[in-house]
Amino acid sequence: MLETIWFMLWGVLWAAYFMLDGFDLGIGTLMPFLARSDEDKRYMYNAMGPFWDGNEVWLITAGGATFAAFPTAYAIMFNGLYSALLLLLFSLIARGVTFEFRNKVEGDGWRSLWDIFHFLGSFLPALLLGVAFANIFAGIPIDKDGIFHGGLFTLLNPYGILGGILFVLMFLTHGALWLAVKTQGDLHARAIETAKKTWAAQVIVAVIFLGATWIKTDLFDNYFKYPYLIIIPLLGVGALIIMRTFIKSGTEVRAWITSSIHIVGVALFGVAGLYPRLLPSSMNPDYNVTIWNAASSQLTLKIMLGVALVMVPIVIAYQTWVYLFLGHKLSKNDLEYEEAY
Amino acid sequence: MDVVMLSRLQFAAASMFHFLFVPLTLGLSVLTAIYETMYVRSGDKDYKRAAKFWGKLFLINFALGVVTGITLEFQFGTNWSAYSKYVGDIFGPLLAIEATLAFYLESTFIGVWIFTWDRVKPKTHALFIWLVAIASNISALWILIANGWMQRPVGYVLRNGRAELENFIAVITNKFGIYEFFHTVSGAYILGGFFVMGISAWHLLRRNEIRFFKKSFRLAATFTLIFALFEIFNGHLHGSEVAEAQPAKLAAMESLWVTEQSAPMYLFAIPDEENEKNSVELLPIPGMLSLLAHHSPDAVVKGLKEFPKEERPPVVLTFISFRIMVGLGFLFGLIAILAWIKRNRIENAQGLLKILVYMIPLPYIAIETGWMVAEVGRQPWIVYGLMKTRDAASVLTTSQVWISLTAFVVFYSFLGLIDFYLLAKYARKGPEAIK
């Protein structure tokens, strides 16, 4: 029972990370294509300014929760995906420093350097997270001792790459919509136009991905076994369709919220399909890492559940407050503010 | 080199680099919060400028501290997966609690603090930096409880082929971790204090913004003195806890080879690991080691020869690191007393000001060597008495770890140099005028 609750929490933490940092990664990836001036770039940095660091903690918590609740899965996943995870880590480090570094020295060369770091540090995590999760959905080559037989390129199979592209597109739309929430005028209009285009691409890739998931994975089995779970993908698909109406009518806050629901839906669709597996083995189903063979002791799960039930609502409360308090549209004044990025 | 050694080097590189930034985050967040509180209470604009000036340096430093912290969490899984599997039931929760209790608070309110100088009342704004400072310190508490468990494992039972949690309260009240917390945090405050005093001294020597830097200096001098003295006291307590919990580490710290009653402390010694003795031993203080380790000049102190060779830590590294740390600790006490005495007319104390500028890097050395004592001195154990480091590593190829280790060193050095350059640039620039 506790194992199942922790499995759900595990899924929710990853979904929350994708939903929150997803828009940061999306804006960072869009930057070289969307920004026409240094001012545009500064609007983009400041649109993420007060939020990105708090968003990234959801990744640390998702990793920490994996470690705490399913230490065996944590050990096998992080060991097996060594190169991919370190690449993700370096990318996130590269992105993280740019906010503080970029405006500390005058000069185009200096700023371009950090803009490149920022782009790579946004695009690569989006891609890698998608590749990693698609591979987990399909199963990774782990043997009975949990040893991973492969390397970075094992993960770059067609289905993995498709997952990567889907994540990048999801985050691009999500980022464009958050940028629209935070800006006005010309940049706002371009953000909306971008969202329309990436949305269309996202729909196409999502359909292909669903089809490939049907062929390549057994995620759907759980939806036949527990039909009520179908609500999750339905919510995801519904949000994706409704999003388009909101983008078109220029109600970007609603569009961003539906995009959030969509991302959560996609993540939970995969996670629910995995249950009770955390890391399916593509070598033999007997080698699957499941919540039963990877979980912590009952005592640890109980204590951690207590911590999560108290702390997560508090975190959600103050982070929501921050979004409401600082979610306003940026103006020239905000860029002139002396502590602005 | 094998995967274990390479992974150890990588962990050492990643955590020592991370720990170049953490102590200043801990120390300077508290000092910045105090300056901002002084502004709220007195309305003195110099304190607002102080909060902004030191706050800016804090943020440049924080940028690298926060991003390099993720590495540490990841590395337990990437490079030490056997360890993670074996003790994850106890160690994992401590990291997860650190994230939920501290990281969210710290990372969320640092953003709020940066962007709301003109949006909220000064009192509320000061509250934000206090939340950041408190969160950083809570984070230190939990990570040190986690490290304390590796030093002195408690509250566990061996079951299902791994260490499982049996008594959570015992784990979080582990006195080893609590001592480490006070020792590390005081060290970080000393570092923050010398950082502020050193940069203030640099400007005072140039007669730049004298009024402003005197105010910064006075407060930092008192702050540093309190923790420099406290550190000497709690360092002693921590040392005697090591003597109880990890006699092999203590013997290596002191390079004591033969078990002795009423063991002396040699002010100068050169260990010779090969021949299991000290090649030079000078200036003994009779019974001092027994007194310090076990509170009695007649107590028996275990020597390294009590332990099989393969269960002894590297002696030279542990010994030298410990000596450097302790020597610096006393120096900090001395300089902090002088600085405090002179704090009201510090601008005239030219000699002391010059010394203070050169003091800036020393607490960094003390803290890094302190961690060498803690971690190298614990070898060959990853969890003392429970799991050997050589059994803890992941299944990786040496080329994988060579590549990642090289990438860490190159990438971190690059970022470290940039960060150091920016800190120096903004420290020299001095505070902004208030608009």
Side-chain angles (χ1 to χ4, degrees):
Chain A
M1 185 61 197
L2 275 168
E3 288 87 351
T4 302
I5 294 173
W6 264 106
F7 182 82
M8 292 194 277
L9 266 169
W10 178 77
V12 167
L13 288 171
W14 281 108
Y17 172 67
F18 297 148
M19 170 187 131
L20 290 171
D21 211 18
F23 76 75
D24 300 320
L25 300 175
I27 291 176
T29 310
L30 280 175
M31 199 178 289
F33 309 102
L34 200 58
R36 288 182 182 158
S37 62
D38 186 58
E39 192 183 67
D40 281 355
K41 286 182 186 160
R42 289 196 60 213
Y43 273 116
M44 296 173 94
Y45 277 102
N46 283 290
M48 303 177 261
F51 313 109
W52 76 272
D53 198 359
N55 293 344
E56 200 178 76
V57 181
W58 289 91
L59 174 69
I60 302 177
T61 313
T66 316
F67 198 176
F70 306 110
T72 306
Y74 168 80
I76 291 173
M77 177 174 165
F78 279 61
N79 185 353
L81 308 184
Y82 189 81
S83 307
L85 273 166
L86 287 181
L87 197 54
L88 172 70
L89 184 68
F90 286 129
S91 307
L92 289 173
I93 292 173
R95 172 189 68 146
V97 298
T98 60
F99 290 94
E100 200 54 45
F101 285 1
R102 185 181 189 273
N103 65 350
K104 289 288 182 290
V105 174
E106 285 300 321
D108 292 339
W110 175 268
R111 280 193 285 263
S112 311
L113 173 71
W114 301 114
D115 289 342
I116 294 167
F117 268 55
H118 193 85
F119 167 73
L120 290 175
S122 301
F123 169 70
L124 285 175
L127 185 73
L128 287 166
L129 287 164
V131 169
F133 272 81
N135 272 286
I136 290 172
F137 294 162
I140 53 175
I142 43 176
D143 67 19
K144 64 177 190 317
D145 299 317
I147 292 164
F148 181 77
H149 292 263
L152 183 58
F153 295 101
T154 319
L155 303 177
L156 296 177
N157 53 67
Y159 183 67
I161 293 170
L162 191 62
I165 296 171
L166 179 70
F167 266 54
V168 171
L169 287 168
M170 279 196 318
F171 292 171
L172 284 179
T173 309
H174 202 45
L177 290 173
W178 182 255
L179 188 63
V181 170
K182 287 291 288 179
T183 53
Q184 40 201 347
D186 180 45
L187 187 57
H188 172 264
R190 275 184 281 140
I192 293 282
E193 280 315 303
T194 306
K196 282 181 191 164
K197 285 181 202 144
T198 54
W199 179 87
Q202 187 184 342
V203 171
I204 295 167
V205 175
V207 171
I208 301 173
F209 185 78
L210 269 183
T213 302
W214 180 270
I215 300 163
K216 281 274 172 194
T217 78
D218 50 17
L219 293 188
F220 285 99
D221 293 1
N222 272 350
Y223 294 90
F224 290 106
K225 211 159 136 197
Y226 315 102
Y228 55 86
L229 282 179
I230 201 76
I231 186 90
I232 297 170
L234 283 182
L235 213 62
V237 171
L240 184 61
I241 295 165
I242 297 167
M243 199 197 313
R244 171 67 194 168
T245 333
F246 289 140
I247 298 173
K248 203 177 166 199
S249 63
T251 42
E252 61 264 3
V253 174
R254 287 178 191 182
W256 183 77
I257 291 170
T258 45
S259 172
S260 300
I261 297 170
H262 173 68
I263 290 174
V264 171
V266 170
L268 293 185
F269 158 71
V271 170
L274 280 176
Y275 182 85
R277 301 161 302 175
L278 291 152
L279 301 170
S281 167
S282 57
M283 298 172 89
N284 185 334
D286 291 342
Y287 307 158
N288 287 345
V289 179
T290 70
I291 61 169
W292 310 116
N293 63 26
S296 279
S297 65
Q298 293 294 307
L299 178 61
T300 292
L301 292 176
K302 224 180 280 173
I303 290 168
M304 287 313 296
L305 185 61
V307 172
L309 288 181
V310 175
M311 289 314 298
V312 173
I314 294 175
V315 171
I316 292 173
Y318 63 66
Q319 287 206 339
T320 308
W321 171 78
V322 172
Y323 275 84
L324 294 174
F325 181 49
L326 295 173
H328 57 85
K329 282 196 184 292
L330 295 169
S331 65
K332 284 245 187 276
N333 278 340
D334 291 295
L335 288 200
E336 281 160 17
Y337 173 70
E338 53 189 352
E339 307 298 332
Y341 287 136
Chain B
M1 268 192 278
D2 61 354
V3 168
V4 176
M5 196 60 211
L6 286 168
S7 289
R8 281 179 66 186
L9 285 177
Q10 182 169 308
F11 202 92
S15 45
M16 288 180 78
F17 185 80
H18 178 58
F19 228 77
L20 287 175
F21 305 95
V22 172
L24 192 62
T25 296
L26 291 168
L28 209 49
S29 63
V30 173
L31 279 164
T32 304
I34 295 175
Y35 289 130
E36 194 168 347
T37 308
M38 305 268 288
Y39 162 63
V40 171
R41 291 195 149 188
S42 67
D44 183 342
K45 294 269 195 226
D46 273 345
Y47 284 118
K48 183 177 184 183
R49 295 170 73 211
K52 285 208 158 197
F53 174 67
W54 300 110
K56 179 157 272 166
L57 299 180
F58 165 71
L59 289 173
I60 294 171
N61 170 74
F62 186 78
L64 264 192
V66 72
V67 292
T68 54
I70 314 173
T71 312
L72 295 194
E73 190 204 41
F74 273 34
Q75 274 205 82
F76 291 109
T78 51
N79 292 72
W80 304 100
S81 66
Y83 166 83
S84 301
K85 224 189 233 182
Y86 193 66
V87 303
D89 196 55
I90 299 146
F91 195 82
L94 299 174
L95 291 196
I97 292 173
E98 184 190 9
T100 44
L101 243 56
F103 290 162
Y104 280 117
L105 198 61
E106 186 181 27
S107 294
T108 305
F109 282 96
I110 192 80
V112 177
W113 184 70
I114 296 171
F115 283 91
T116 56
W117 279 98
D118 58 356
R119 288 190 170 268
V120 293
K121 281 185 284 191
K123 221 179 193 170
T124 317
H125 195 261
L127 172 71
F128 296 151
I129 189 70
W130 274 114
L131 288 175
V132 173
I134 291 166
S136 309
N137 284 277
I138 294 176
S139 150
L141 177 65
W142 284 93
I143 198 65
L144 290 167
I145 285 174
N147 185 268
W149 190 83
M150 297 168 77
Q151 305 285 355
R152 179 175 175 265
V154 291
Y156 70 94
V157 56
L158 294 180
R159 195 164 45 205
N160 302 321
R162 63 179 179 182
E164 291 197 348
L165 184 65
E166 194 182 45
N167 185 343
F168 185 62
I169 301 295
V171 171
I172 63 173
T173 56
N174 185 355
K175 55 185 174 172
F176 204 106
I178 306 292
Y179 281 130
E180 277 193 307
F181 170 71
F182 284 114
H183 194 55
T184 310
V185 166
S186 305
Y189 293 171
I190 295 169
L191 184 144
F194 274 108
F195 183 85
V196 170
M197 288 197 293
I199 290 168
S200 302
W202 190 87
H203 284 280
L204 289 170
L205 282 168
R206 283 158 186 75
R207 304 269 144 208
N208 181 26
E209 292 268 5
I210 292 179
R211 194 190 64 211
F212 173 90
F213 281 108
K214 270 186 77 178
K215 283 179 186 169
S216 287
F217 187 94
R218 280 171 52 109
L219 200 139
T222 307
F223 183 81
T224 312
L225 180 68
I226 294 169
F227 291 102
L229 295 181
F230 178 60
E231 188 74 327
I232 293 170
F233 166 71
N234 83 42
H236 161 62
L237 289 182
H238 187 31
S240 19
E241 172 61 22
V242 170
E244 297 298 324
Q246 302 182 341
K249 182 191 275 179
L250 185 92
M253 281 155 61
E254 296 293 351
S255 191
L256 179 73
W257 294 93
V258 183
T259 301
E260 255 183 273
Q261 191 184 9
S262 195
M265 173 175 274
Y266 293 96
L267 289 182
F268 185 81
I270 300 175
D272 176 358
E273 282 194 75
E274 202 146 310
N275 298 310
E276 305 191 307
K277 67 180 181 71
N278 294 334
S279 49
V280 181
E281 285 180 341
L282 294 172
L283 306 169
I285 308 175
M288 191 63 180
L289 181 53
S290 291
L291 180 69
L292 285 175
H294 301 293
H295 314 291
S296 151
D298 302 321
V300 175
V301 184
K302 274 193 186 173
L304 284 158
K305 287 188 180 175
E306 289 281 317
F307 306 92
K309 265 195 175 172
E310 66 279 5
E311 292 193 2
R312 293 178 202 163
V315 179
V316 176
L317 194 53
T318 312
F319 172 79
I320 292 176
S321 301
F322 180 65
R323 289 273 153 139
I324 293 175
M325 177 189 75
V326 171
L328 287 173
F330 281 105
L331 178 68
F332 300 152
L334 181 73
I335 303 286
I337 292 170
L338 290 177
W340 188 78
I341 293 170
K342 298 267 185 187
R343 71 193 186 286
N344 290 323
R345 285 184 307 279
I346 188 65
E347 71 276 24
N348 301 325
Q350 294 284 322
L352 185 58
L353 287 176
K354 278 180 196 150
I355 292 172
L356 281 166
V357 175
Y358 289 103
M359 288 298 289
I360 295 175
L362 298 187
Y364 286 92
I365 296 171
I367 284 188
E368 296 286 359
T369 49
W371 273 112
M372 303 260 267
V373 175
E375 299 297 288
V376 175
R378 193 190 56 230
Q379 300 306 322
W381 303 98
I382 191 165
V383 182
Y384 195 77
L386 183 65
M387 187 185 209
K388 291 251 171 81
T389 307
R390 63 159 188 265
D391 302 324
S394 291
V395 181
L396 296 166
T397 61
T398 47
S399 62
Q400 270 178 307
V401 193
W402 265 119
I403 293 169
S404 59
L405 175 59
T406 313
F408 268 113
V409 171
V410 172
F411 191 40
Y412 274 17
S413 305
F414 168 71
L415 293 178
L417 285 174
I418 302 258
D419 207 71
F420 178 73
Y421 161 73
L422 289 177
L423 275 174
K425 175 181 155 148
Y426 280 87
R428 281 165 191 234
K429 201 171 154 202
E432 306 274 341
I434 285 282
K435 280 171 205 156

